[in-house]
Structures are given as structure tokens and as C-alpha cells.
Amino acid sequence: MDKLLITGGNTLEGVVRASGAKNAALPILAAALLTQEKITIKNLPHLHDITTMLELLGSMGCGVVVDDKMGVELDVSTLVNCEAPYELVKTMRASILVLGPLVSHFGKAIVSLPGGCAIGSRPVDLHLRGLEAMGANIVVENGNIIATVDGRLQGARIFFDKVTVTGTENLLMAAVLAEGKTVIENAAKEPEVVDLAECLIAMGAKITGHGTDTITIEGVAKLGGTTYSVMPDRIETGTFLVAGAITGGKVRVIDTDVGALEAVLAKLEEAGATITTGDNWIELDMKGRRPKSVNISTAPYPAFPTDMQAQFMALNAVADGVGRVVENIFENRFMHVNEMVRMGADIEVTGNTAIIKGAASLKGAPVMATDLRASASLVLSALVAQGDTKIDRIYHIDRGYECIEEKLGSLGAKISRVIN
């Protein structure tokens, strides 16, 4: 099984390109199920989750052609079934995103209840209630969601009692082919939701209000094909900026989205970094200084993202002072703490709050990744630890970071992939 071997102590400097956003690419790939015409998606990151989604679409009979630049042409006109089997769904929760498009376009969907990172309860009941409000018949049996509709889904007013990104995306996709108007209230405002909406609009959908908490969709009879480029990954961008900050270095991330990272950039400046931005780049310069501890509290966009919580815990672990991290989105998202403590981090957890006392240094140790973003915190910790750190179960990292050892290596990190 692959592991990452990292020798800490190097200051990171240089330029790195942001990949396409996994969390935008996955729903956009699912959106191909809404048209009988060919759709081409560009700027896809080369990640395991993307491969899984393409494999899932292919298993349904969708034509999949990948070019040498990770652009993908999808052709749903060859679809032979509307089933997402457990063998594929179990590894990736985002597989649930095919539910809305399938039942809306083809009138039927059989989707296994999803798996993915073990970071807490992420129930799909909000997805199902929304589809039922639009006229779908839902049955859950033998671990499968079976959704059917006679004719077209019907527009409805849907209110989420809790903000849900995938729920918003699923019902947004279902609504574009529904008859009449659908209004989604308390909708997720994440940039990835906006990116999906823009792709759907390019296919002929009528959507307004995306990026706000109320999205309005006027259903259309059919959608057409398009060519669409996925937005840059804001979480990967943030992770590389933290890598620069934690090592006292100077890192510029190019081909990124500056506006999607305001909360993260504000906290990096609070930690002592000098931040400079351009139209599509962000540069962080720590000027050799040790970062200062910061307090963060996660919340839905545009507040501080839960997907950057673990990275900032790593920063606080070596920062000057005491930092507090409050996790308000997922109840099990502190699983990286025990592994960081093995490296010498001083962290105490009470409920959903972690108190981190910055240490002068960390020490390399064998550690194990427990989920995608937790794995990023271990990589960051290893960059500043004394000696070698070997990170096991890095398939979690490969789910969300494209060629992380190559990108960090280009910035001066001593990092390699090993098998033993």
C-alpha cells in the first residue's frame, strides 16, 4: 500500500497551479445525465473520486471519452440502465448526485445509499424529501434508494431546515427538467453550487439566485450539450497557502479563484502572512516568520470552510500562542487530532472545540490518514516536523489532491511516495 514519506524542515517557495475543483466537477459530471446531447467537461482534476464518477457513468452505459488533458466528453444517449451500484457508491458519497438527474430525465433511479469519508452523519433525507415534494415516489429497501415518477417532476417550493451542499445540487439538477417553477430556500451558497448552476445554464437551464440562499428554477423541456470548464479548487489552493505559511515560506498559487477564499485569506493574514492577489493568483509571504495562532469556527459559505479546518489546526500546532478551533459542520471531524498528538502537537478536545497550544516544533512519526482533509493536516505537520514522517492510508489524500507529492516537491518539500 502506498505511503508518503516526508522529511520536514524545508521552507516552501515557488509557484504552483491549482487543479480543477473536485467538489464542482462531481456534480457537473452528474449533470451530463440531464441531456441527450454530448457534453464536454474540461479542467477536471486527475483524482480517484473523478475516476469513480466516470466509472459509475460508464457502468450505466454512458459514453465516456477522456482526452490527454483530462477533458471528458460524455454521451448519455447510449444509457442502458439507471442504477448506481453499491460497489461504486460505497467509496464516494458524491455518487448520490446522480439521483436527481436520473429521476428527472429518465423517470427512474436506483442508487445505493452512499459511503465515503467517515466524518459524521450526512443523511440524504433532505434530498429524498425534496424529490418527494416534486412528485417522486421514493422507496428505500435493501440499502437502495428507488425513485420513480410518472411523467415529469413538478416544480415545488423546497425549504432545507439545514444547509446542504449536495442536497442543493441534487434538487437543483432535478428541478431544471421539472414542469413549472421550483424555489429552493435556505440553499447552499458555495462557489461549487454556483459553478454547477452556471454549467446548467450553459446547457439551457433557467436558473436565478444561485450564490444566494434562495434559488429559483424555471423548468424546461430539455437541455442541450455544452463545453464547460470546472472552477479552480479553493480547498487545494488554501492548503498550499497554509503550506507556505506553516514553513515560513513564500508561495504563489496560480489559476485560482481569489473571491472564493476570502475567509481563509483573512485568517492567514491574522496569522501574520502578507497576502497579495491578482486576477487569478494569490501569493502568501511569511518572510521567514513563525505564524501566530488564530481562532476559527466553521460554518457554511461564505464563512470559514470545514474543509480547511484540519489544515489550520496544523498551522496552530506550530504557531505562537493558543488557538481555538470550533467545528460546527461535522461531528467526527477531529479524527486527525490523535495522529497530530503523536507528532508532538498539544491539542485538547472538548465536544466540538479543540484548543491548540503552539509548540516550538513537531517530531516525525508514523501516522495514519483517517479522511481526506485530515490527511492534508498530517502532510502539513510533516513539512515542519523534525525528521521523517510516514503517512499511511494515503488513498484518502488521492481522493482530493492531484499529484500532491509532485506539487509540494516543486515548492521545495522533501516528499516521496513509497510502497512498503
Side-chain angles (χ1 to χ4, degrees):
M1 185 177 292
D2 287 7
K3 299 176 176 64
L4 283 180
L5 177 62
I6 302 172
T7 302
N10 288 7
T11 300
L12 299 196
E13 294 184 350
V15 179
V16 64
R17 178 188 175 273
S19 299
K22 180 194 79 161
N23 289 341
L26 292 172
I28 287 172
L29 288 172
L33 293 167
L34 292 163
T35 178
Q36 289 292 108
E37 298 182 22
K38 291 180 181 179
I39 180 170
T40 299
I41 308 300
K42 296 185 175 182
N43 199 37
L44 287 172
H46 187 52
L47 299 171
H48 182 68
D49 278 8
I50 300 297
T51 304
T52 300
M53 181 62 86
L54 293 175
E55 187 177 354
L56 174 57
L57 294 173
S59 75
M60 298 178 190
C62 177
V64 180
V65 179
V66 183
D67 67 27
D68 57 358
K69 296 182 180 179
M70 273 307 288
V72 175
E73 182 185 84
L74 300 170
D75 183 0
V76 179
S77 66
T78 57
L79 202 78
V80 294
N81 70 74
C82 295
E83 183 172 358
Y86 178 70
E87 288 71 25
L88 291 172
V89 173
K90 68 181 180 180
T91 64
M92 185 181 67
R93 294 193 60 88
S95 303
I96 191 69
L97 289 166
V98 303
L99 177 64
L102 283 174
V103 71
S104 186
H105 189 185
F106 299 100
K108 181 178 181 180
I110 303 173
V111 180
S112 181
L113 288 166
C117 287
I119 59 174
S121 175
R122 295 192 279 187
V124 298
D125 60 314
L126 298 178
H127 305 231
L128 304 187
R129 270 186 258 152
L131 288 172
E132 286 178 327
M134 298 170 73
N137 300 303
I138 306 288
V139 176
V140 179
E141 62 182 24
N142 300 322
N144 291 319
I145 302 165
I146 302 172
T148 57
V149 64
D150 294 325
R152 292 171 66 184
L153 291 174
Q154 300 297 304
R157 182 171 290 272
I158 298 165
F159 176 80
F160 288 127
D161 54 18
K162 180 180 180 181
V163 175
T164 163
V165 173
T166 54
T168 299
E169 292 167 340
N170 229 340
L171 297 185
L172 173 60
M173 288 188 282
V176 294
L177 292 180
E179 187 172 14
K181 181 169 73 173
T182 299
V183 179
I184 303 174
E185 298 181 280
N186 199 27
K189 297 180 282 190
E190 271 71 3
E192 294 80 8
V193 174
V194 175
D195 208 33
L196 170 63
E198 289 295 330
C199 179
L200 293 170
I201 290 169
M203 296 166 68
K206 297 180 179 179
I207 303 168
T208 57
H210 45 298
T212 76
D213 57 10
T214 302
I215 302 176
T216 302
I217 306 103
E218 295 282 353
V220 297
K222 66 177 183 178
L223 295 181
T226 191
T227 297
Y228 194 82
S229 186
V230 174
M231 68 173 285
D233 194 322
R234 62 191 172 107
I235 304 303
E236 185 197 38
T237 298
T239 301
F240 285 124
L241 293 175
V242 173
I246 203 171
T247 63
K250 182 178 181 179
V251 170
R252 176 179 291 211
V253 184
I254 61 172
D255 294 340
T256 192
D257 185 347
V258 179
L261 278 161
E262 290 182 358
V264 172
L265 298 183
K267 286 299 177 181
L268 286 169
E269 287 183 320
E270 190 179 323
T274 298
I275 300 291
T276 311
T277 62
D279 289 341
N280 67 345
W281 57 267
I282 305 170
E283 184 173 275
L284 174 143
D285 190 356
M286 282 301 291
K287 301 178 180 177
R289 297 186 300 260
R290 181 184 180 189
K292 294 178 286 189
S293 293
V294 295
N295 297 327
I296 65 168
S297 181
T298 66
Y301 188 86
F304 193 92
T306 181
D307 280 353
M308 285 299 302
Q309 173 258 105
Q311 295 90 316
F312 270 76
M313 192 176 292
L315 183 144
N316 276 337
V318 296
D320 182 15
V322 179
R324 183 180 70 253
V325 172
V326 182
E327 175 54 61
N328 295 306
I329 306 298
F330 296 121
E331 70 271 21
N332 291 339
R333 210 161 203 182
F334 283 157
M335 291 189 291
H336 47 285
V337 169
N338 288 338
E339 300 301 300
M340 290 176 63
V341 168
R342 285 170 51 81
M343 300 176 70
D346 187 344
I347 306 172
E348 291 187 8
V349 175
T350 304
N352 69 332
T353 301
I355 303 297
I356 308 102
K357 298 179 182 177
S361 64
L362 300 177
K363 293 184 178 180
V367 293
M368 180 176 65
T370 53
D371 65 70
L372 171 53
R373 304 308 172 185
S375 65
S377 73
L378 300 180
V379 171
L380 293 170
S381 299
L383 292 175
V384 291
Q386 298 176 6
D388 293 342
T389 298
K390 188 174 287 187
I391 304 175
D392 201 355
R393 295 177 66 183
I394 62 169
Y395 55 83
H396 287 296
I397 298 176
D398 293 336
R399 288 186 52 238
Y401 291 93
E402 182 179 39
C403 305
I404 191 168
E405 68 271 25
E406 294 176 16
K407 289 190 172 185
L408 287 174
S410 73
L411 298 173
K414 190 173 181 182
I415 176 172
S416 59
R417 188 174 292 248
V418 297
I419 301 175
N420 62 22

